[in-house]
Amino acid sequence: MDYKKFEIGNYLFEDIYKAGDDQKRLPGIWFENLVYTYEEIERSVDYYAHFLADRGVKKGDHVGLLGVNSYNWLIAFYAIVRVGGVAVLINYMARHETLVDLLKDTDCQYLCYGKFTQLIKKEHEMEDLLKETGMSQENAFSIQHCDLDFKDILQKEAIVPFLSPIPREEDSKRTSYIIFTTGTTSKPKPAMLSQYSLMNLIYLNLSPLDPIFHRRFYCLLPMFHCFGLLVVNGYLAFHKTVYLNTLVNKVKIYKEFLKNKCGVYASVSIIYDQLAKTPFWWFHGNRFIKHCIVGGGFTSEEEFKFLERKYGKGKFMNGYGQTECSPLISLVYPDSPHIKQRTTVGIPMRGIELAFMDPATKKLLPKGQEGEILVKGYNVFNGYYKKPKEEQPFDENGYLHTGDLGYLDEDGYLVLSGRIKDIIIRKGENISPREIEDELRKFPEFGGVRVLGFPSVDEGEYIIGCVELIKKPLHFSERKYLDEMRKRLPNIKIPAHIVYMRRFPLNANGKLDEVKLREICMLKIARFLDEEVLARKTRKLMEESNKKRR
């Protein structure tokens, strides 16, 4: 079926908070024990859009949006886009230097800010931030509840509907918001996204979930990230109730989890894992949870099995995507076969086109063969802001190059097999870390597992296995694990060292922060590698000297 004919020009302001008369009094957002109906959401956006326009925000202006999850954050997002601006969504856990760079790199003229990590840590953080970015105090607007109480405003003021200054079709497909890629291995890049991509993903692919999903949904993902924004808007599009959490207090997350008893949850696997390890989980864990949406995917099939034992089978919806794809590329639906839920990342989104390319020859491959995943369709972003053409991830045929390796199985499900840049080249042979990681996961002492390549003088790259230990040992013997791995893997795939730590470093999205992980590994293994390089160089010199003597 050609799903392109179903593509729609829908955009946020007729398809999210614009509700019919019978829906206006339905609860839309639940935050901090306050409930906002769809009518209140609509009037809140109209009020704040007028506020921004009166302060000079106009079509095309970039407005930074910084703060933890909140009702006010979401209203500010809608209002920025409503006046024709571009909302620049910023990680509330970023360091001061990073905040300055992100605001400068995206040419933000205005800033809407709520609570964020640096503001809590430093007394004059906002003044310093504005000074270093060259932004005036008049262009920075607090959206904290103490400064912007919508409940009070809606009772006291007569609010006139705000009329968009941009025609519907143009507004739908223009760059409406910028989200930074997570930057696990490199500097975050500003991805330009449209309402058109977001709404088509929701209506073409999430509509089948509407009848089976519970009325109440609890979001445990940051909304500055693409997946968190998608699931929140997806639930609002079908006029259900979204529960928001600031995500800065683990105890508060747990208490609200027990109190709200929502049927559907969206979070990363590490949060589900932590909830499952709380006291008396066996008593209340499965009583009200119907579905668990996973952002960022699972690290392994073993992790998936552990969570299924705690939550029940068939409850987890895994998927695959990137910020550049708004973000979904594929999704495992609740009615998918159980084996597919555990071993694949689902079926491709309706109306998009997938292709697979041989990384070496740059030729397209037939269905079923492993190659780099290429994407084309309505979900693909508008490019990286201010990046030249040669730095954009598109080829001459319009395909987005994901950098991920995978293939479609015989049933049309997408299977991931690794990342191109993760390939380790050792002694001229290309080695995928995934096979080595699978072997490391067989040891019950290890939790998280990651295999990295580090430059080597005479081998191309070292293989280093990084592991999380479930319990800290009195003595860690890497030789024991390496000897066991030699029974199943060829020598060329055996790690030079296994580095252990109590916890892997994570970013605000709950994903592995590979940059920090590499830094930690380098510090731990620098002495060993220096000794090995010196030993090999000495051995080579001795061999050459012996040859000359002969």
Side-chain angles (χ1 to χ4, degrees):
M1 183 181 292
D2 181 13
Y3 286 104
K4 286 191 175 183
K5 66 181 180 182
F6 291 107
E7 286 188 19
I8 47 183
N10 294 52
Y11 70 126
L12 292 170
F13 310 105
E14 288 181 10
D15 302 295
I16 293 295
Y17 70 83
K18 286 285 186 182
D21 292 336
D22 58 332
Q23 299 167 322
K24 285 189 174 182
R25 287 182 171 79
L26 292 175
I29 301 289
W30 190 302
F31 177 70
E32 301 284 1
N33 295 319
L34 292 174
V35 184
Y36 299 86
T37 66
Y38 279 89
E39 183 177 20
E40 288 176 316
I41 296 172
E42 179 180 345
R43 294 180 65 216
S44 298
V45 176
D46 284 333
Y47 169 83
Y48 205 65
H50 279 294
F51 172 88
L52 293 175
D54 291 344
R55 278 146 186 81
V57 180
K58 58 187 182 300
K59 176 182 175 181
D61 286 347
H62 286 204
V63 184
L65 183 52
L66 173 62
V68 298
N69 285 4
S70 69
Y71 176 77
N72 288 9
W73 187 101
L74 189 60
I75 296 303
F77 169 73
Y78 286 146
I80 293 166
V81 181
R82 182 68 164 153
V83 299
V86 179
V88 181
L89 313 188
I90 302 173
N91 185 342
Y92 57 77
M93 293 185 67
R95 295 180 298 179
H96 177 87
E97 299 78 13
T98 304
L99 291 175
V100 173
D101 287 343
L102 298 183
L103 290 169
K104 281 185 173 181
D105 290 347
T106 49
D107 300 320
C108 286
Q109 300 117 301
Y110 301 88
L111 177 65
C112 295
Y113 65 93
K115 291 183 179 179
F116 62 99
T117 307
Q118 290 298 317
L119 189 61
I120 296 170
K121 289 181 178 179
K122 295 175 65 176
E123 185 178 354
H124 302 290
E125 172 64 20
M126 184 50 61
E127 290 87 340
D128 294 342
L129 185 63
L130 296 175
K131 184 178 179 180
E132 292 184 42
T133 55
M135 196 181 301
S136 68
Q137 186 73 46
E138 292 74 24
N139 286 2
F141 317 122
S142 171
I143 57 172
Q144 296 185 59
H145 183 75
C146 58
D147 299 314
L148 188 64
D149 183 350
F150 278 108
K151 284 288 186 182
D152 185 58
I153 291 169
L154 297 179
Q155 286 180 356
K156 294 180 178 179
E157 300 204 20
I159 300 168
V160 179
F162 185 88
L163 300 178
S164 175
I166 309 176
R168 175 191 171 104
E169 187 65 24
E170 179 188 346
D171 197 8
S172 176
K173 294 189 178 182
R174 72 180 177 91
T175 295
S176 299
Y177 56 105
I178 290 175
I179 294 183
F180 291 89
T181 58
T182 51
T184 55
T185 58
S186 60
K187 182 180 177 181
K189 297 185 285 291
M192 300 186 293
L193 298 154
S194 70
Q195 302 165 66
Y196 181 78
S197 295
L198 180 68
M199 297 312 300
N200 274 287
L201 275 175
I202 290 171
Y203 279 105
L204 294 180
N205 301 282
L206 303 187
S207 292
L209 301 174
D210 180 31
I212 63 173
F213 265 15
H214 193 270
R215 167 136 202 98
R216 293 188 293 178
F217 160 72
Y218 197 14
C219 181
L220 290 171
L221 291 165
M223 287 191 293
F224 70 77
H225 187 257
C226 211
F227 194 64
L229 195 66
L230 172 73
V231 291
V232 167
N233 281 284
Y235 239 75
L236 291 176
F238 302 115
H239 298 109
K240 297 187 178 183
T241 306
V242 174
Y243 288 73
L244 296 177
N245 190 290
T246 60
L247 306 181
V248 295
N249 187 312
K250 292 181 180 179
V251 174
K252 189 175 180 180
I253 290 175
Y254 183 55
K255 286 182 177 179
E256 289 195 0
F257 168 81
L258 294 177
K259 176 183 176 182
N260 296 329
K261 293 181 171 55
C262 297
V264 180
Y265 288 77
S267 190
V268 291
S269 57
I270 189 171
I271 297 295
Y272 290 123
D273 181 77
Q274 290 172 356
L275 285 172
K277 292 176 181 176
T278 53
F280 303 107
W281 178 258
W282 56 269
F283 177 70
H284 54 68
N286 288 324
R287 294 174 64 190
F288 48 83
I289 300 175
K290 305 299 181 185
H291 299 285
C292 297
I293 303 170
V294 183
F298 294 100
T299 58
S300 68
E301 188 176 343
E302 286 70 26
E303 180 188 26
F304 185 89
K305 290 177 181 178
F306 166 78
L307 291 175
E308 278 201 325
R309 289 195 298 270
K310 295 292 184 177
Y311 288 79
K313 284 188 176 182
K315 291 187 176 182
F316 283 94
M317 289 178 56
N318 193 16
Y320 162 64
Q322 295 184 339
T323 301
E324 293 86 345
C325 290
S326 307
L328 278 182
I329 296 173
S330 65
L331 183 66
V332 179
Y333 289 91
D335 59 352
S336 298
H338 188 248
I339 185 65
K340 302 297 183 182
Q341 295 177 13
R342 288 195 292 111
T343 59
T344 77
V345 290
I347 57 176
M349 297 291 95
R350 291 177 173 179
I352 71 169
E353 183 181 341
L354 289 190
F356 299 85
M357 188 187 74
D358 187 319
T361 64
K362 306 300 179 184
K363 292 182 179 180
L364 295 182
L365 299 169
K367 180 182 176 181
Q369 290 193 21
E370 180 187 273
E372 182 184 7
I373 302 169
L374 312 183
V375 186
K376 186 190 293 185
Y378 57 81
N379 63 332
V380 174
F381 76 144
N382 294 336
Y384 298 123
Y385 181 65
K386 290 201 322 186
K387 296 290 184 184
K389 185 177 180 180
E390 58 271 16
E391 293 184 30
Q392 301 290 350
F394 303 105
D395 62 23
E396 63 277 6
N397 297 315
Y399 282 110
L400 168 73
H401 286 240
T402 65
D404 293 320
L405 295 170
Y407 62 92
L408 287 176
D409 69 12
E410 63 279 3
D411 299 313
Y413 283 80
L414 182 60
V415 180
L416 293 184
S417 51
R419 285 191 61 79
I420 293 176
K421 61 185 176 184
D422 288 342
I423 295 297
I424 298 170
I425 302 175
R426 187 179 186 190
K427 296 181 178 179
E429 183 173 334
N430 291 347
I431 299 171
S432 172
R434 176 159 292 196
E435 182 181 1
I436 306 170
E437 290 171 351
D438 288 343
E439 289 299 325
L440 287 169
R441 288 192 183 98
K442 292 178 180 179
F443 297 107
E445 304 95 309
F446 299 160
V449 168
R450 190 77 169 98
V451 169
L452 304 173
F454 287 87
S456 167
V457 174
D458 51 6
E459 290 192 2
E461 286 185 285
Y462 289 105
I463 298 175
I464 304 296
C466 308
V467 299
E468 280 182 324
L469 289 178
I470 297 174
K471 291 183 179 180
K472 189 175 181 180
L474 295 174
H475 174 66
F476 182 83
S477 174
E478 65 174 351
R479 176 172 290 184
K480 177 182 74 172
Y481 301 110
L482 295 176
D483 287 345
E484 189 66 28
M485 292 175 71
R486 286 190 181 95
K487 297 176 182 178
R488 298 185 291 267
L489 291 177
N491 281 334
I492 198 169
K493 295 182 180 181
I494 301 299
H497 288 286
I498 297 176
V499 174
Y500 72 90
M501 56 196 74
R502 190 70 183 91
R503 291 282 184 190
F504 281 170
L506 304 175
N507 58 30
N509 304 320
K511 294 182 179 180
L512 174 68
D513 189 334
E514 192 167 303
V515 174
K516 287 186 180 179
L517 182 63
R518 282 185 173 275
E519 291 174 357
I520 294 170
C521 284
M522 282 301 293
L523 291 173
K524 285 179 174 286
I525 66 176
R527 178 172 60 88
F528 297 109
L529 295 186
D530 286 345
E531 289 177 357
E532 289 179 7
V533 169
L534 180 62
R536 275 198 289 272
K537 284 185 175 180
T538 303
R539 187 164 59 250
K540 282 187 176 182
L541 288 173
M542 291 177 65
E543 290 173 354
E544 291 174 1
S545 177
N546 290 333
K547 286 180 181 178
K548 289 179 181 178
R549 288 177 183 173
R550 292 170 189 164

